Amino acid sequence: MDLKSMGYVRVSSTDLDQWRTFAGKVLGLAETRGPTEGNLYYRIDQVSARLVVVPGEVDQLTCVGWEVADHKALQEVREHLQKAGVDFEEGTRDEIDERRVQELVRFSDPFDNVFEVFHGISYESRPVVPPYGAQFVTGDQGMGHVVLPVSDDVEALRFYADVLGFRLRDSMSMPGEFVGKEPGSKIWLRFLGVNPRHHSLAFLPMPNPSKCVHIMLEVTDLDDVGRALERVRKHGAKLSATLGRHMNDEMVSFYVRSPAGFDVEFGTDGLRVDDGSWVARESTAVSYWGHDFSGGS
């Protein structure tokens, strides 16, 4: 499989008005029109929608979309999943039209996280105009990254690396008792990539009812991170982690709680990786400085 990037995320919400405030006024994403009345569609670049919020009975991440190059690449995905014993289903015509892609297949990982793999997503002739003027880092790095909850870090690494083709970029060990395992044991937070972004996917062996730990959006300028942090305070959003610089991907960022219950990391200056020379290592700290996950309280 040759996944190119994280293409989109879809979220179920019991309160669309909360998301309209959060996505538009806090994060500064550009709300746009979409095929289905009642859904919220947000742009950060030329792609017609990177974030879609749909009305639902629960607040959670419903799926992550991963882009491949073309029909041939998607057919190779089908054949690869079949050989690996992973059940998948074809997207319906209504789903394809609503996502504005040419084809998609859907499957779940061993932990009930839903992935869609697609090609041929639409993009717009009109430039995106975010409400606060920020420019988001996308292109060959895709939308950003996602951190998913799993129940078994060994099986997760096997599935994401051996079956889906993600490449290990970094690891971080944590005490097993942090997630209820025996004292003295270790659990692993792994970071994996498919393109020059340091990681497009990471996983944490800890259950989460929102089916997501966090998603990350990157902007080009530190000032836009600072302005977004001010909007967090202005609109009363919950700050999950203060401003800091991560050790592994060098991102300067903060974390804010979304209406779905998972966090959104909003940052800049993330590390780009050259797979030809990159060596995966174990980082010994979350950050060089900052990132107080008590929210600074």
Side-chain angles (χ1 to χ4, degrees):
M1 290 177 60
D2 187 16
L3 303 180
K4 296 298 186 184
S5 67
M6 188 173 90
Y8 57 76
V9 296
R10 297 178 64 85
V11 177
S12 170
S13 174
T14 60
D15 191 335
L16 293 184
D17 286 338
Q18 284 189 344
W19 266 101
R20 186 172 278 113
T21 298
F22 180 75
K25 294 184 178 181
V26 177
L27 300 180
L29 313 186
E31 187 172 354
T32 186
R33 293 181 180 178
T36 301
E37 185 176 355
N39 292 353
L40 300 179
Y41 297 88
Y42 291 94
R43 290 180 62 192
I44 59 175
D45 60 4
Q46 282 184 298
V47 172
S48 297
R50 292 287 196 179
L51 168 65
V52 180
V53 185
V54 304
E57 297 180 356
V58 293
D59 293 295
Q60 64 182 23
L61 179 72
T62 58
C63 79
V64 183
W66 299 92
E67 187 165 21
V68 295
D70 51 26
H71 169 76
K72 180 181 178 182
L74 188 58
Q75 184 58 30
E76 291 172 353
V77 168
R78 293 182 178 101
E79 294 169 1
H80 183 81
L81 292 175
Q82 189 173 32
K83 289 179 182 178
V86 178
D87 293 333
F88 64 90
E89 61 185 20
E90 298 289 334
T92 66
R93 173 47 54 190
D94 286 345
E95 290 169 340
I96 288 169
D97 290 345
E98 194 272 334
R99 288 151 176 77
R100 289 173 278 189
V101 301
Q102 292 185 22
E103 290 182 279
L104 73 86
V105 298
R106 181 186 303 103
F107 60 92
S108 296
D109 70 6
F111 318 101
D112 201 32
N113 299 307
V114 179
F115 287 2
E116 294 180 350
V117 181
F118 69 90
H119 79 88
I121 199 166
S122 67
Y123 60 103
E124 304 294 328
S125 60
R126 294 183 178 180
V128 62
V129 184
Y132 303 103
Q135 182 178 348
F136 289 83
V137 177
T138 57
D140 62 352
Q141 299 188 71
M143 176 185 178
H145 75 233
V146 62
V147 182
L148 296 175
V150 301
S151 57
D152 183 334
D153 50 3
V154 175
E155 172 60 15
L157 182 60
R158 184 203 68 82
F159 183 82
Y160 295 140
D162 296 348
V163 177
L164 301 189
F166 283 89
R167 298 181 286 279
L168 181 64
R169 296 279 169 75
D170 263 305
S171 302
M172 185 184 304
S173 65
M174 304 172 68
E177 48 264 52
F178 187 63
V179 294
K181 293 184 180 264
E182 60 274 11
S185 64
K186 279 186 178 182
I187 57 170
W188 289 97
L189 175 58
R190 307 280 192 182
F191 303 86
L192 305 103
V194 291
N195 58 45
R197 191 180 293 282
H198 176 273
H199 58 280
S200 295
L201 181 146
F203 60 82
L204 181 67
M206 177 181 290
N208 190 311
S210 65
K211 302 188 75 171
C212 179
V213 179
H214 75 256
I215 62 172
M216 186 281 299
L217 300 173
E218 183 179 1
V219 292
T220 57
D221 296 317
L222 179 61
D223 286 344
D224 288 320
V225 177
R227 294 184 185 108
L229 189 54
E230 289 184 343
R231 296 194 300 271
V232 168
R233 297 190 181 98
K234 177 180 178 180
H235 294 284
K238 183 182 184 302
L239 187 68
S240 299
T242 59
L243 191 70
R245 184 185 287 276
H246 278 307
M247 186 173 176
N248 57 8
D249 69 354
E250 301 182 4
M251 186 80 67
V252 178
S253 63
F254 66 86
Y255 291 72
V256 59
R257 185 64 47 86
S258 77
F262 59 78
D263 288 337
V264 174
E265 180 185 5
F266 196 95
T268 191
D269 201 25
L271 183 67
R272 287 178 63 95
V273 165
D274 177 1
D275 273 314
S277 59
W278 183 258
V279 176
R281 294 176 175 170
E282 178 185 351
S283 55
T284 56
V286 173
S287 305
Y288 288 118
W289 54 268
H291 286 141
D292 177 358
F293 280 88
S294 71
S297 59

